[in-house]
């Protein structure tokens, strides 16, 4: 692929289609159902989180949605600490359970816990806890549940060093009879070195970590999937010249590939934009979504990683006023559906948009409004069966934040020409 900035491809957003989409959303918000089949195109299934909750994380299984989120121990006292909550959705949410709580937890809007169903049937969750007096001195801790999240046991640290540096932005995927973890690891920063990407297997115990990339962006989230070749992790890389592109490392036999650059935006930025990539894999096809602010022209991009050169060509999903914080899922027909936040006045709008296998774009669908500040966090997009599940943090002007989740039928996100 040539080294260039991506440009928009085919787009169809007719006025009549936009009105139809907005009308469908209004019906969904009122609980109305789609034409004759008795299944809502959109259902609000907010988890049992208290006011003030934030940083929701979703993971999907064949018949469940797993969710974690933070809640303050005392909404009036910042130093009181936080608790990490877990709940599981099948036809309804389970009673939330406390994974861990305390005043030494590193709870924030961008780097938040990950959760996965292990091949054994147990649940595995991560969180961050302070290890020193410095602001960015914390490690990654693991918890396991043998009873679907009713109770949790602390397994200790994931990272196998003792430096009082940053460790976080964890992604988890099943691997064999265990779980593969990826994270940003700051152990080299104690001597003035860069942030790195490391990985380890979590089974009955935590295996030794492996270095995958020795210089990466310090605080952009990672994402990982299991492909037909094995685990694949995507992250924001960082060159010596401060060009920050999206790269990936994948499983090759018993080892790992060299970091491969997946975007060619030439975004030169001296600090971390806190805007990582999103991946999804289905039926031999992998989709990547990302945000860039290259050349002063912010946009959300998306590309497929397999197929012909034309099918792998990147497209611009939103080139107007996006904030990024992207998600992506693959539909049953191979289309990708991208989520992101876009600026609308002084607020942010959470949107979905379909990208066809030929790079065509459907209409952008507005889902919700929230704050444009960091308090709105990182929206979550996952797929359970053929429905999409979108999680976000609603930040009202004069009320505590609120964790929201919507269940969305694929038909609500139109294809080009619909």
């Amino acid at each position: 692929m040539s080294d260039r900035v991506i440009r928009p491809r085919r787009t169809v957003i007719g006025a009549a289609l936009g009105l139809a989409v907005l009308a469908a959303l209004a019906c969904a918000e009122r609980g109305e159902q789609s034409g004759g089949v008795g299944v809502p195109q959109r259902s609000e299934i907010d988890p049992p989180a208290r006011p003030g909750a934030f940083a929701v994380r979703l993971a999907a299984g064949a018949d469940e949605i797993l969710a974690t989120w933070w809640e303050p121990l005392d909404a009036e006292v910042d130093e009181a600490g936080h608790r990490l909550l877990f709940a599981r959705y099948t036809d309804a949410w389970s009673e939330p359970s406390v994974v861990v709580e305390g005043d030494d937890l590193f709870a924030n809007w961008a780097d938040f816990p990950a959760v996965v169903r292990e091949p054994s049937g147990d649940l595995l969750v991560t969180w961050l806890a302070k290890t020193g007096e410095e602001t960015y001195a914390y490690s990654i801790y693991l918890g396991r549940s043998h009873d679907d999240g009713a109770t949790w046991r602390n397994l200790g640290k994931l990272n196998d060093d003792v430096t009082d540096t940053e460790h976080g932005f964890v992604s988890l995927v099943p691997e064999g009879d265990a779980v593969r973890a990826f994270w940003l690891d700051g152990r080299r920063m104690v001597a003035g070195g860069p942030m790195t990407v490391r990985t380890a297997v979590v089974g009955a115990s935590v295996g030794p970590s492996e270095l995958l990339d020795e210089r990466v962006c310090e605080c952009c989230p990672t994402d990982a999937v299991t492909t037909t070749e094995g685990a694949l992790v995507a992250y924001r890389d960082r060159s010596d010249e401060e060009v920050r592109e999206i790269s990936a490392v994948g499983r090759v036999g018993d080892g790992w590939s060299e970091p491969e650059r997946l975007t060619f935006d030439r975004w030169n930025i001296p600090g971390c934009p806190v805007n990582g990539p999103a991946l999804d894999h289905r039926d031999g096809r992998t989709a990547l979504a990302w945000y860039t602010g290259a050349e002063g022209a912010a946009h959300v991009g998306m590309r497929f990683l397999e197929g012909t050169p034309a099918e792998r060509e990147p497209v611009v999903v939103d080139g107007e006023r996006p904030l990024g914080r992207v998600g992506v899922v693959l539909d049953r027909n191979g289309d990708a559906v991208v989520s992101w936040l876009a600026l609308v006045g002084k607020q942010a709008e959470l949107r979905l948009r379909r990208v066809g296998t030929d790079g065509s774009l459907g209409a952008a669908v507005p889902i919700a409004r929230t704050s444009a500040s960091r308090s709105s966090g990182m929206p979550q997009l996952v797929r359970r069966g053929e429905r999409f599940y979108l999680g976000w943090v609603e930040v009202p002007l004069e009320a505590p934040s609120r964790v929201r989740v919507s269940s969305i039928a694929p038909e609500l996100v139109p294809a080009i020409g619909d």
Side-chain angles (χ1 to χ4, degrees):
M1 182 176 294
S2 61
D3 187 8
R4 59 181 180 76
V5 178
I6 65 177
R7 301 299 182 196
R9 294 173 69 191
R10 288 195 293 150
T11 306
V12 172
I13 311 179
L17 177 57
L19 291 174
V21 169
L22 291 174
L25 282 171
C27 291
E29 292 283 10
R30 295 194 298 268
E32 296 179 12
Q33 301 190 337
S34 58
V37 296
V39 178
Q41 284 196 320
R42 177 179 171 190
S43 301
E44 307 307 316
I45 55 164
D46 298 340
R50 296 179 180 178
F54 63 99
V56 61
R57 184 78 173 256
L58 300 182
D63 60 354
E64 64 183 356
I65 298 293
L66 309 175
T68 60
W69 63 89
W70 286 116
E71 292 181 4
L73 292 177
D74 187 334
E76 304 299 324
V77 182
D78 290 338
E79 295 78 15
H82 296 84
R83 61 169 61 92
L84 176 61
L85 279 297
F86 166 85
R88 174 175 175 261
Y89 180 85
T90 52
D91 296 324
W93 287 102
S94 65
E95 188 71 21
S97 63
V98 176
V99 179
V100 64
E101 62 181 22
D103 59 6
D104 63 340
L105 304 177
F106 191 72
N108 66 94
W109 70 279
D111 188 359
F112 40 83
V115 61
V116 71
R117 173 75 69 177
E118 298 184 86
S120 67
D122 291 343
L123 294 169
L124 187 71
V125 70
T126 70
W127 67 86
L128 308 179
K130 298 283 290 180
T131 58
E133 295 300 320
E134 296 297 324
T135 301
Y136 299 110
Y138 50 86
S139 282
I140 305 161
Y141 288 81
L142 295 162
R144 176 172 282 143
S145 174
H146 299 297
D147 53 12
D148 271 344
T151 60
W152 295 88
R153 179 168 62 92
N154 190 331
L155 303 181
K157 289 201 308 180
L158 171 62
N159 51 288
D160 54 0
D161 67 301
V162 293
T163 62
D164 288 336
T165 56
E166 302 173 56
H167 307 78
F169 294 102
V170 182
S171 293
L172 303 172
V173 293
E175 183 176 275
D177 59 357
V179 167
R180 169 71 61 181
F182 301 94
W183 70 93
L184 300 190
D185 190 287
R187 67 185 67 186
R188 293 187 174 184
M189 298 175 76
V190 74
M195 181 66 77
T196 64
V197 171
R198 299 187 77 92
T199 185
V201 171
V202 182
S205 60
V206 180
S209 70
E210 301 175 78
L211 178 66
L212 299 184
D213 194 321
E214 61 186 15
R215 181 181 173 86
V216 303
C217 207
E218 295 88 346
C219 48
C220 282
T222 66
D223 201 7
V225 292
T226 301
T227 74
T228 52
E229 303 298 321
L232 177 75
V233 61
Y235 52 92
R236 190 174 295 279
D237 223 329
R238 177 188 175 198
S239 75
D240 292 339
E241 294 75 31
E242 301 294 4
V243 175
R244 304 188 188 225
E245 301 282 8
I246 303 302
S247 292
V249 173
R251 199 71 168 154
V252 179
D254 294 331
W256 297 94
S257 69
E258 291 296 317
E260 179 183 358
R261 188 171 161 192
L262 301 181
T263 63
F264 300 85
D265 303 314
R266 301 191 301 274
W267 192 9
N268 186 284
I269 179 173
C272 178
V274 198
N275 237 309
L279 287 172
D280 193 29
H281 181 85
R282 182 177 188 178
D283 299 331
R285 193 172 184 82
T286 309
L288 167 75
W290 73 96
Y291 168 86
T292 180
E295 300 182 359
H299 64 257
V300 170
M302 180 270 152
R303 60 168 293 204
F304 297 105
L305 303 187
E306 296 88 10
T308 67
E311 290 173 331
R312 298 196 304 270
E313 189 77 5
V315 299
V316 174
V317 177
D318 184 349
E320 296 180 2
R321 301 184 69 202
L323 286 172
R325 308 184 204 174
V326 300
V328 66
V329 293
L330 285 164
D331 205 348
R332 56 178 171 260
N333 59 6
D335 292 349
V337 173
V338 180
S339 67
W340 76 101
L341 287 175
L343 279 170
V344 179
K346 295 182 179 180
Q347 287 190 294
E349 187 172 78
L350 182 55
R351 296 174 179 172
L352 294 175
R353 195 171 197 182
R354 184 180 296 274
V355 182
T357 55
D358 60 353
S360 59
L361 292 166
V365 179
I367 297 296
R369 292 282 180 95
T370 186
S371 171
S373 71
R374 292 182 170 186
S375 60
S376 57
M378 301 282 183
Q380 300 285 294
L381 179 63
V382 298
R383 175 179 49 81
R384 173 199 178 201
E386 297 305 333
R387 290 184 73 89
F388 310 139
Y389 290 79
L390 188 60
W392 72 97
V393 177
E394 184 178 85
V395 186
L397 292 176
E398 298 182 0
S401 60
R402 179 184 174 196
V403 169
R404 306 293 310 276
V405 175
S406 279
S407 169
I408 297 170
E411 294 75 21
L412 192 62
V413 189
I416 189 168
D418 284 358

